[in-house]
Amino acid sequence: MGNLKNNMVILSLLAALWVPLAAQDFDPFAQDFAKKVEKTETQARLLSDHTLIAPGQPFTLALEFTHPEGWYSYYKNPGTLGEALKINWTLPDGFTVDYEGWPTPKLKGNNGINSIVYLPSVTHLYTITPPDNLSPGSTAQLSAQATWQICDPTGCIPEDATLSLTLPVAAEPVLNLDLTSLFDEARKQLPASLPEDTKLTLSESNNIITLTLDPSSGLNPETIHFFDEDGQVDVQTPQKATLENETLTVTLNRNQGNDFMDAPEPKPVITGILTDGQTSYQVSSKITGEAALTAAQSESESNASPNLLAILGGMFIGGLILNLMPCVFPVIGIKIMSFVEQAGHHRKKVALHGLTFAAGVLATFWLLSTIMLLGGINSWGGQLENPYIMLGLIVVMLLLAMNMFGVFEIGTSATGVGSNLTRKEGLSGSFFSGVLAVVVATPCSAPFLGAALGAAVALPTFWFFTAFTIMALGLATPYLILSAFPDLVKKLPRPGAWMESFKQGMSFLLFATVGYLLWVYSFQVFEHDYGQKGLWVMIGLALIAAAAWVWGRWTTPIRKPKTKWIARALTLLLIVTGIIFAAPGEDTSPPENETTTSSSALWQKWSKEKEQKLLAEGTPVYIDFTARWCLTCQVNKKNAYPAEVLAAFKEKGVVLLKADKTSSNPAIDAELKNLNRTAIPVNVLYSPNNPNDPTITPEVLTPGYLLNLIETKLN
């Protein structure tokens, strides 16, 4: 019966999709359907509750949808296949936008399938806050680009609209009295917060979620329904509610997916709207029970140890692959044979030479690691704040990438060097051979050392050295194995054209590194020179690339001496000119304003004075110490702040501050020192009840962790 029911659901969906398609293919239906499409257009309006706006005074915009008769749009969680409203705002500089929340939806059945919808109309409200420095007498142009989907029993139609408003600015705001009733009615559709004396709990056992509300706050159990925001609850199964001694209990089935939709990833917190059709409440709560504990642990622990293991594993593999580079691979067999000859074919002595060689490799890597630390890698990524260092890295990586691709050659005598290593005698010779092997590998090591360094510099000192030790072991492993079993040298593949192809393929790792570094550099300098610096950076890098091409084309041994000298001079001229064009100007501060989006608009620029003022006023503060060059920071921004987390911050009145150290900022460095931190990301929550005891989060954030943090620390 279960399979039959699922099959019927699929057939119903296919039928709903087939009707409009068939109507276009067969004449008897095409004309009728075409007439229907002409009428199925949502009437969309963008309205303001003020006729005049004032500096720093929030006002409300309404995005009103009136659907054609019988058609509907979707809630944030459609409940089945469907697309909810998405909107991109274009606002003047300094304006911010905040969505007031999803209006209370309805449950709609269609061919035996339930959806969560708005029928026949819906109004979405947005709070707009203009900056304090807005000039009275000017005007503000606000634009919204919206996309959504409307459906009826015959099918679905995607819709979009770009709506604009121009509002005059005055010293004092003036309400739009003609629209007062419209905005009042729209606000009535928004769910209220639960009364303070009402306790909400969620528990789960065997995929059954039990919601308890005590007291019931007057909700009618006969018409009660819970709409969750992210699909954790099964919409297709009826919800059961009972009322006993003023305690309301609602039984919900967890969404385990079906034949046409996958089950969502379980989350430890469920957020949504609880309504009886007359009264609605916005609710959010952690789930208790074994199933919920498992979900929370899997979410919070999924990024813990694998990050370090991935870095260390990548370092080892990178060291191994270095041996396949054209400047290293031919040396392996030669070196092992020299061990055999020096040891008189005595197996233990051959193995000792191999171990001594590996010690030379390790010692050289340790020396390089120490030099890196002494050279400025002591704040774990802090060197990337300097735009001149960023430019140097970009130029070096670009030239190495072009070298590996074959535009020009360096390190072509590596095989000769390897041959010379065989002339060394004794264990000291083997040790020095290990040192030289690392030097020989340098021209080919960039794609691995570059990526490895980028990951390793974010590690504490012990793990930094450990990472490069493991990479050294990766480089030394073939020598150790072949020293223990010298006869395996005969089984090594012969050097050939495949090695050159492999080297060229590896160059694209370096080009990708150049792209990432250029992205960071763009944030540091591209807006300089009235926004034109980015153009000169691109031209400068093109000149540097041209210099590499000239060098590779006209300095080869077959060229005449005069030609080679001209080429060298031209190469130098192009490189110097390119660096001058691409170098940062005097202004190295990051742009003050970022694009205003529904998420970024919530973040204010951090300063110690602002932080202290907010705490003195009794306002909780959350600070994100971040930078464009910090990859973990970017991962956190993408994953850790979905709408439910931002809504929870808003509900608790938390002010979000961003301390951006993409470029050097002594005030931020001093604050990090006060927090006993040197590496970023660092995220801190201050409660006004205990401002001297901030909560510092783990480096990797998840929505579940933040929701739990907000609930436990700000109650």
Side-chain angles (χ1 to χ4, degrees), residues 286-466:
K286 277 199 314 182
I287 310 173
T288 60
E290 295 181 2
L293 180 62
T294 301
Q297 290 177 337
S298 64
E299 183 174 0
S300 62
E301 296 174 359
S302 59
N303 294 313
S305 59
N307 286 335
L308 179 61
L309 293 176
I311 292 173
L312 299 180
M315 297 287 274
F316 182 79
I317 293 173
L320 275 176
I321 294 180
L322 282 179
N323 290 290
L324 297 178
M325 294 291 103
C327 48
V328 180
F329 185 78
V331 179
I332 297 177
I334 297 173
K335 194 68 254 168
I336 298 304
M337 289 300 99
S338 73
F339 293 165
V340 173
E341 291 174 6
Q342 291 183 61
H345 297 270
H346 194 284
R347 186 168 180 175
K348 288 185 178 180
K349 291 183 178 180
V350 173
L352 183 59
H353 277 279
L355 290 171
T356 307
F357 177 89
V361 173
L362 285 167
T364 309
F365 266 87
W366 289 335
L367 177 62
L368 290 174
S369 301
T370 302
I371 292 173
M372 290 177 191
L373 289 175
L374 295 177
I377 306 178
N378 49 20
S379 62
W380 309 117
Q383 76 280 2
L384 300 181
E385 298 172 4
N386 189 321
Y388 290 95
I389 291 179
M390 289 300 303
L391 177 61
L393 287 172
I394 291 170
V395 171
V396 169
M397 292 295 186
L398 177 63
L399 292 176
L400 285 171
M402 297 182 71
N403 163 241
M404 292 192 69
F405 193 73
V407 175
F408 68 100
E409 295 294 337
I410 59 175
T412 52
S413 60
T415 303
V417 173
S419 299
N420 292 333
L421 298 182
T422 61
R423 301 171 187 172
K424 300 289 180 181
E425 298 292 337
L427 294 178
S428 61
S430 296
F431 180 87
F432 191 61
S433 296
V435 175
L436 287 184
V438 178
V439 176
V440 167
T442 301
C444 295
S445 65
F448 309 104
L449 281 176
L453 179 60
V457 294
L459 300 174
T461 304
F462 172 78
W463 289 111
F464 176 83
F465 279 104
T466 300

Side-chain angles (χ1 to χ4, degrees), residues 579-614:
I579 291 176
I580 292 173
F581 281 0
E586 294 183 1
D587 179 14
T588 58
S589 61
E592 289 292 332
N593 296 320
E594 294 186 353
T595 303
T596 300
T597 66
S598 58
S599 176
S600 66
L602 298 176
W603 295 87
Q604 302 178 30
K605 185 177 179 181
W606 174 86
S607 69
K608 189 62 179 178
E609 294 74 18
K610 180 180 291 188
E611 171 195 321
Q612 292 175 339
K613 180 182 177 182
L614 289 168

